[in-house]
Amino acid sequence: MRNEQRLRTRTPESRAFADRVQLAMTLSARLNALPFDDLDARRALLTEIFGGPIPGSLTVLPPFHCDYGLGASFGDRVFINQGCFFLDYGGITIGDRVLIGPRVTLSTSGHPVEVGERFDYITHAPIVIEDDVWLGAAVTVTPGVTIGHGSVVGAGAVVAKDVPPLSVVTATSHVERKRLTPGPA
């Protein structure tokens, strides 16, 4: 993945990350248990999840799931529909006037591809969604991707490379990139 960074597991830094994940997931569960019309409590929990003030024009419809919280930032007039997942350890930057459809996943982290390294690191890279983007229902955006301003990503698409500004992209695909070597049993 482009701009990949690594967090070694079984370290004080990875323990701090795991502790923050526990807190963010607990706060997300509390958010999702609120009555739908309790907007003040929802805003208070979102401020806690994201670690500080959020724009007054940000709309997040529950259920919403976030695994870190401290890596996300939002522009003005952002709308996030129901059932979205933000795995934001690598950083998610969302511009102004962005529409995010239901069940969208923004995933900035993962594990190394090589079998022998998967339990040793958490990989991460930022996602940038520029102004005036619309992500359709059930879109998945992978680590290190930038979606250019004014673009539309069609429902169900998996975005694994940058989207140029003012583009419409759709579909999923399977492309074999390489063969892996067997790891330890």
Side-chain angles (χ1 to χ4, degrees), residues 129-134 146-152 163-167:
I129 301 171
E130 295 180 350
D131 296 346
D132 301 306
V133 167
W134 175 19
T146 295
I147 301 177
H149 76 272
S151 292
V152 175
V163 174
L166 300 170
S167 298

Side-chain angles (χ1 to χ4, degrees), residues 7-19:
L7 173 66
R8 182 173 283 285
T9 59
R10 299 178 297 279
T11 64
E13 293 81 12
S14 67
R15 180 75 256 155
F17 167 72
D19 290 344

